[in-house]
Amino acid sequence: MAEHDHNQGIDNATHSFDQGYWTEHWATRRGGPDPESAGGPNPHLVREVQGLKPGTALDAGCGAGAEVIWLAQQGWQVTGLDISSEALEVAAERAAEASVSSKIDWVEADLTKWRPEEPFDLVVTHYAHATLPQLGLYERLSRWVAPGGTLFIVNHLPNSATAHSGEHAPGHATTTPDDVVAILSEPEWTIDVARADVRDVGTVQLHDVIVRARRSG
Ligand SMILES: C[S@@+](CC[C@H](N)C(=O)[O-])C[C@H]1O[C@@H](n2cnc3c(N)ncnc32)[C@H](O)[C@@H]1O
Protein backbone atom coordinates (compact mmCIF):
# COMPACT_ATOMS: atom_id res chain seq x y z
CA MET A 1 0.00 0.00 0.00
CA ALA A 2 1.33 3.44 -0.90
CA GLU A 3 2.06 5.99 1.80
CA HIS A 4 -1.13 7.99 1.64
CA ASP A 5 -3.41 8.98 4.48
CA HIS A 6 -7.02 8.43 3.44
CA ASN A 7 -8.27 10.24 6.52
CA GLN A 8 -6.33 13.38 5.65
CA GLY A 9 -8.63 16.39 5.28
CA ILE A 10 -11.70 14.40 6.33
CA ASP A 11 -14.74 16.58 6.74
CA ASN A 12 -17.61 14.33 7.67
CA ALA A 13 -19.92 17.22 8.45
CA THR A 14 -19.96 18.41 4.84
CA HIS A 15 -18.90 15.24 3.03
CA SER A 16 -20.76 12.40 4.70
CA PHE A 17 -21.50 10.85 1.26
CA ASP A 18 -24.70 9.31 2.60
CA GLN A 19 -28.02 9.34 0.76
CA GLY A 20 -28.94 12.78 2.17
CA TYR A 21 -25.67 14.24 0.91
CA TRP A 22 -26.29 12.95 -2.63
CA THR A 23 -29.97 13.98 -2.64
CA GLU A 24 -28.84 17.51 -1.82
CA HIS A 25 -26.05 17.28 -4.42
CA TRP A 26 -28.47 16.38 -7.21
CA ALA A 27 -31.11 18.88 -6.04
CA THR A 28 -28.58 21.69 -6.43
CA ARG A 29 -27.57 20.37 -9.88
CA ARG A 30 -31.22 21.04 -10.87
CA GLY A 31 -31.35 17.93 -13.01
CA GLY A 32 -28.32 18.82 -15.11
CA PRO A 33 -25.30 16.61 -15.80
CA ASP A 34 -22.59 16.23 -13.21
CA PRO A 35 -19.90 18.86 -13.94
CA GLU A 36 -17.17 16.22 -13.76
CA SER A 37 -18.69 14.64 -16.86
CA ALA A 38 -19.40 18.13 -18.23
CA GLY A 39 -22.38 16.76 -20.10
CA GLY A 40 -20.47 14.19 -22.16
CA PRO A 41 -18.89 10.86 -21.22
CA ASN A 42 -15.74 10.91 -19.14
CA PRO A 43 -12.84 11.21 -21.65
CA HIS A 44 -10.77 8.61 -19.75
CA LEU A 45 -13.55 6.05 -20.21
CA VAL A 46 -13.78 6.82 -23.91
CA ARG A 47 -10.01 6.47 -24.36
CA GLU A 48 -9.50 3.33 -22.27
CA VAL A 49 -12.65 1.28 -22.89
CA GLN A 50 -13.54 1.89 -26.53
CA GLY A 51 -11.39 -1.03 -27.75
CA LEU A 52 -13.05 -3.65 -25.53
CA LYS A 53 -15.51 -6.19 -26.93
CA PRO A 54 -18.99 -5.21 -25.65
CA GLY A 55 -20.87 -7.43 -23.20
CA THR A 56 -22.61 -6.61 -19.93
CA ALA A 57 -21.53 -3.53 -17.98
CA LEU A 58 -22.26 -1.81 -14.67
CA ASP A 59 -21.71 1.91 -14.02
CA ALA A 60 -21.55 2.18 -10.22
CA GLY A 61 -22.70 5.64 -9.10
CA CYS A 62 -23.74 6.61 -12.63
CA GLY A 63 -25.17 10.04 -11.79
CA ALA A 64 -26.88 11.68 -14.77
CA GLY A 65 -25.88 8.82 -17.07
CA ALA A 66 -23.40 10.25 -19.59
CA GLU A 67 -21.10 7.22 -19.34
CA VAL A 68 -24.00 4.71 -19.33
CA ILE A 69 -25.36 6.24 -22.53
CA TRP A 70 -21.94 6.19 -24.19
CA LEU A 71 -21.41 2.52 -23.25
CA ALA A 72 -24.87 1.63 -24.64
CA GLN A 73 -23.97 3.43 -27.86
CA GLN A 74 -20.84 1.23 -28.09
CA GLY A 75 -23.02 -1.92 -27.89
CA TRP A 76 -22.80 -2.73 -24.16
CA GLN A 77 -25.88 -3.93 -22.25
CA VAL A 78 -25.56 -1.53 -19.33
CA THR A 79 -26.82 -1.32 -15.77
CA GLY A 80 -26.72 2.25 -14.49
CA LEU A 81 -26.88 2.22 -10.70
CA ASP A 82 -27.19 5.20 -8.38
CA ILE A 83 -28.53 6.00 -4.92
CA SER A 84 -30.23 9.17 -6.21
CA SER A 85 -33.66 8.85 -7.85
CA GLU A 86 -33.34 12.40 -9.19
CA ALA A 87 -30.07 11.58 -10.98
CA LEU A 88 -31.59 8.41 -12.45
CA GLU A 89 -34.66 10.29 -13.73
CA VAL A 90 -32.40 12.70 -15.60
CA ALA A 91 -30.25 9.82 -16.85
CA ALA A 92 -33.28 7.90 -18.17
CA GLU A 93 -34.57 11.01 -20.00
CA ARG A 94 -31.18 11.54 -21.61
CA ALA A 95 -31.00 7.87 -22.64
CA ALA A 96 -34.45 8.11 -24.24
CA GLU A 97 -33.33 11.21 -26.18
CA ALA A 98 -30.28 9.26 -27.37
CA SER A 99 -32.52 6.28 -28.36
CA VAL A 100 -30.55 3.77 -26.26
CA SER A 101 -33.10 2.99 -23.51
CA SER A 102 -33.45 -0.64 -24.66
CA LYS A 103 -29.75 -1.23 -23.89
CA ILE A 104 -29.99 0.07 -20.29
CA ASP A 105 -31.38 -1.06 -16.93
CA TRP A 106 -31.57 1.71 -14.31
CA VAL A 107 -31.22 0.56 -10.70
CA GLU A 108 -31.85 2.80 -7.70
CA ALA A 109 -29.81 1.16 -4.94
CA ASP A 110 -27.09 1.66 -2.35
CA LEU A 111 -23.77 0.24 -3.59
CA THR A 112 -22.75 -0.56 -0.03
CA LYS A 113 -25.67 -3.02 0.30
CA TRP A 114 -26.68 -4.05 -3.24
CA ARG A 115 -25.23 -7.15 -4.92
CA PRO A 116 -25.62 -8.24 -8.55
CA GLU A 117 -27.26 -11.55 -9.42
CA GLU A 118 -24.60 -12.13 -12.08
CA PRO A 119 -21.11 -10.60 -12.43
CA PHE A 120 -20.47 -8.13 -15.27
CA ASP A 121 -17.99 -8.20 -18.15
CA LEU A 122 -17.17 -4.58 -17.30
CA VAL A 123 -17.59 -2.60 -14.07
CA VAL A 124 -16.87 1.13 -14.30
CA THR A 125 -17.03 3.89 -11.71
CA HIS A 126 -16.20 7.59 -11.92
CA TYR A 127 -15.81 9.71 -8.77
CA ALA A 128 -18.35 7.64 -6.80
CA HIS A 129 -17.94 8.29 -3.07
CA ALA A 130 -20.09 6.33 -0.64
CA THR A 131 -20.17 5.78 3.12
CA LEU A 132 -17.58 3.01 2.70
CA PRO A 133 -13.86 3.91 2.64
CA GLN A 134 -12.93 4.60 -1.00
CA LEU A 135 -10.73 1.51 -1.36
CA GLY A 136 -13.35 -0.61 0.41
CA LEU A 137 -15.84 0.48 -2.25
CA TYR A 138 -13.42 -0.46 -5.04
CA GLU A 139 -12.69 -3.82 -3.41
CA ARG A 140 -16.45 -4.47 -3.33
CA LEU A 141 -16.88 -3.47 -6.99
CA SER A 142 -13.95 -5.70 -8.00
CA ARG A 143 -15.91 -8.74 -6.77
CA TRP A 144 -18.64 -8.00 -9.32
CA VAL A 145 -16.34 -8.41 -12.34
CA ALA A 146 -16.76 -11.72 -14.22
CA PRO A 147 -13.71 -13.91 -14.93
CA GLY A 148 -11.99 -12.38 -17.97
CA GLY A 149 -13.79 -9.09 -17.35
CA THR A 150 -12.54 -5.55 -16.74
CA LEU A 151 -12.67 -3.09 -13.84
CA PHE A 152 -12.31 0.58 -14.76
CA ILE A 153 -11.92 3.27 -12.09
CA VAL A 154 -11.62 7.05 -12.35
CA ASN A 155 -11.18 9.05 -9.16
CA HIS A 156 -9.65 12.22 -7.77
CA LEU A 157 -5.97 12.23 -6.87
CA PRO A 158 -5.08 13.65 -3.44
CA ASN A 159 -5.25 17.47 -3.46
CA SER A 160 -7.27 17.55 -6.67
CA ALA A 161 -10.01 20.11 -7.08
CA THR A 162 -13.52 18.92 -7.89
CA ALA A 163 -15.49 20.40 -10.76
CA HIS A 164 -18.47 21.01 -8.44
CA SER A 165 -16.87 23.64 -6.28
CA GLY A 166 -13.30 24.11 -7.45
CA GLU A 167 -12.30 23.17 -3.88
CA HIS A 168 -10.18 20.14 -2.97
CA ALA A 169 -11.89 16.76 -2.85
CA PRO A 170 -11.91 15.57 0.78
CA GLY A 171 -8.81 13.50 1.49
CA HIS A 172 -10.70 10.35 2.43
CA ALA A 173 -12.34 10.26 -1.00
CA THR A 174 -9.10 10.44 -2.97
CA THR A 175 -6.72 7.70 -4.15
CA THR A 176 -3.39 7.38 -5.92
CA PRO A 177 -2.83 4.81 -8.70
CA ASP A 178 -0.71 2.77 -6.24
CA ASP A 179 -3.54 2.72 -3.68
CA VAL A 180 -5.95 1.19 -6.20
CA VAL A 181 -3.42 -1.25 -7.65
CA ALA A 182 -2.65 -2.51 -4.13
CA ILE A 183 -6.17 -3.97 -3.76
CA LEU A 184 -5.98 -5.81 -7.12
CA SER A 185 -3.46 -8.54 -6.52
CA GLU A 186 -1.77 -10.93 -8.93
CA PRO A 187 -2.40 -13.51 -10.26
CA GLU A 188 -6.13 -12.74 -10.16
CA TRP A 189 -5.69 -9.24 -11.60
CA THR A 190 -3.61 -7.86 -14.46
CA ILE A 191 -3.17 -4.09 -14.42
CA ASP A 192 -3.49 -2.66 -17.95
CA VAL A 193 -3.52 1.01 -16.98
CA ALA A 194 -2.63 2.80 -13.71
CA ARG A 195 -1.82 6.45 -14.18
CA ALA A 196 -2.50 10.03 -13.19
CA ASP A 197 -3.81 12.72 -15.53
CA VAL A 198 -4.61 16.42 -15.52
CA ARG A 199 -7.50 17.94 -17.47
CA ASP A 200 -9.51 21.14 -17.53
CA VAL A 201 -13.25 21.15 -16.89
CA GLY A 202 -14.41 24.72 -17.33
CA THR A 203 -12.18 26.88 -15.17
CA VAL A 204 -11.18 23.98 -12.88
CA GLN A 205 -8.18 21.71 -13.34
CA LEU A 206 -8.92 18.11 -12.32
CA HIS A 207 -6.17 15.73 -11.24
CA ASP A 208 -7.45 12.22 -11.92
CA VAL A 209 -6.37 8.67 -11.20
CA ILE A 210 -7.25 6.13 -13.89
CA VAL A 211 -6.99 2.36 -13.39
CA ARG A 212 -8.04 -0.38 -15.81
CA ALA A 213 -7.56 -3.98 -14.67
CA ARG A 214 -8.47 -7.41 -16.07
CA ARG A 215 -9.63 -10.33 -13.97
CA SER A 216 -8.11 -13.66 -14.94
CA GLY A 217 -10.42 -15.92 -16.94
C1 LIG B 1 -19.57 12.77 -7.95
S1 LIG B 1 -20.97 11.89 -8.53
C2 LIG B 1 -20.34 11.20 -10.05
C3 LIG B 1 -21.45 10.83 -11.03
C4 LIG B 1 -20.96 10.24 -12.35
N1 LIG B 1 -20.29 8.97 -12.15
C5 LIG B 1 -20.06 11.22 -13.09
O1 LIG B 1 -18.84 10.97 -13.16
O2 LIG B 1 -20.57 12.22 -13.56
C6 LIG B 1 -21.05 10.41 -7.49
C7 LIG B 1 -22.31 9.58 -7.74
O3 LIG B 1 -22.29 8.43 -6.90
C8 LIG B 1 -23.60 8.22 -6.38
N2 LIG B 1 -23.49 7.46 -5.12
C9 LIG B 1 -22.88 7.85 -3.99
N3 LIG B 1 -22.99 6.91 -3.03
C10 LIG B 1 -23.69 5.89 -3.57
C11 LIG B 1 -24.12 4.63 -3.08
N4 LIG B 1 -23.89 4.24 -1.82
N5 LIG B 1 -24.82 3.83 -3.91
C12 LIG B 1 -25.07 4.21 -5.19
N6 LIG B 1 -24.68 5.40 -5.72
C13 LIG B 1 -24.00 6.23 -4.91
C14 LIG B 1 -24.13 9.64 -6.19
O4 LIG B 1 -25.55 9.72 -6.09
C15 LIG B 1 -23.59 10.34 -7.42
O5 LIG B 1 -24.48 10.28 -8.50
Side-chain angles (χ1 to χ4, degrees):
M1 176 79 65
E3 289 288 316
H4 168 56
D5 179 3
H6 290 279
N7 294 318
Q8 201 181 38
I10 208 166
D11 183 354
N12 284 324
T14 53
H15 292 96
S16 60
F17 296 137
D18 59 7
Q19 184 157 21
Y21 174 92
W22 290 111
T23 300
E24 169 79 15
H25 172 93
W26 285 111
T28 56
R29 302 270 99 73
R30 293 188 197 86
D34 196 276
E36 260 131 24
S37 294
N42 189 291
H44 303 308
L45 175 78
V46 172
R47 188 181 313 108
E48 304 295 352
V49 166
Q50 65 184 347
L52 299 185
K53 182 167 164 255
T56 60
L58 169 71
D59 186 354
C62 65
E67 290 74 27
V68 174
I69 292 165
W70 181 81
L71 285 166
Q73 288 168 334
Q74 308 312 302
W76 294 85
Q77 186 65 44
V78 195
T79 299
L81 184 148
D82 205 280
I83 203 168
S84 161
S85 58
E86 186 164 12
L88 290 173
E89 275 168 32
V90 175
E93 277 168 25
R94 296 172 81 200
E97 280 162 23
S99 305
V100 288
S101 302
S102 65
K103 301 282 294 175
I104 300 170
D105 294 312
W106 300 107
V107 176
E108 183 184 339
D110 183 341
L111 282 170
T112 68
K113 299 184 179 127
W114 181 84
R115 282 179 199 183
E117 285 172 14
E118 300 279 338
F120 296 90
D121 299 315
L122 174 67
V123 175
V124 303
T125 189
H126 312 82
Y127 316 109
H129 312 302
T131 50
L132 280 179
Q134 198 65 36
L135 293 177
L137 176 65
Y138 294 154
E139 204 280 328
R140 186 169 171 79
L141 298 185
S142 74
R143 286 187 243 139
W144 303 345
V145 177
T150 296
L151 177 66
F152 181 72
I153 292 170
V154 178
N155 192 30
H156 295 297
L157 281 170
N159 302 317
S160 173
T162 71
H164 312 300
S165 63
E167 291 169 9
H168 279 181
H172 66 297
T174 67
T175 45
T176 67
D178 284 351
D179 292 337
V180 180
V181 166
I183 63 161
L184 302 169
S185 46
E186 294 178 324
E188 189 179 9
W189 290 96
T190 303
I191 308 299
D192 291 327
V193 175
R195 64 182 176 84
D197 192 86
V198 183
R199 65 187 177 107
D200 294 324
V201 175
T203 56
V204 176
Q205 200 166 57
L206 296 188
H207 294 251
D208 290 327
V209 47
I210 301 115
V211 174
R212 194 186 79 201
R214 248 172 317 128
R215 187 174 206 157
S216 59

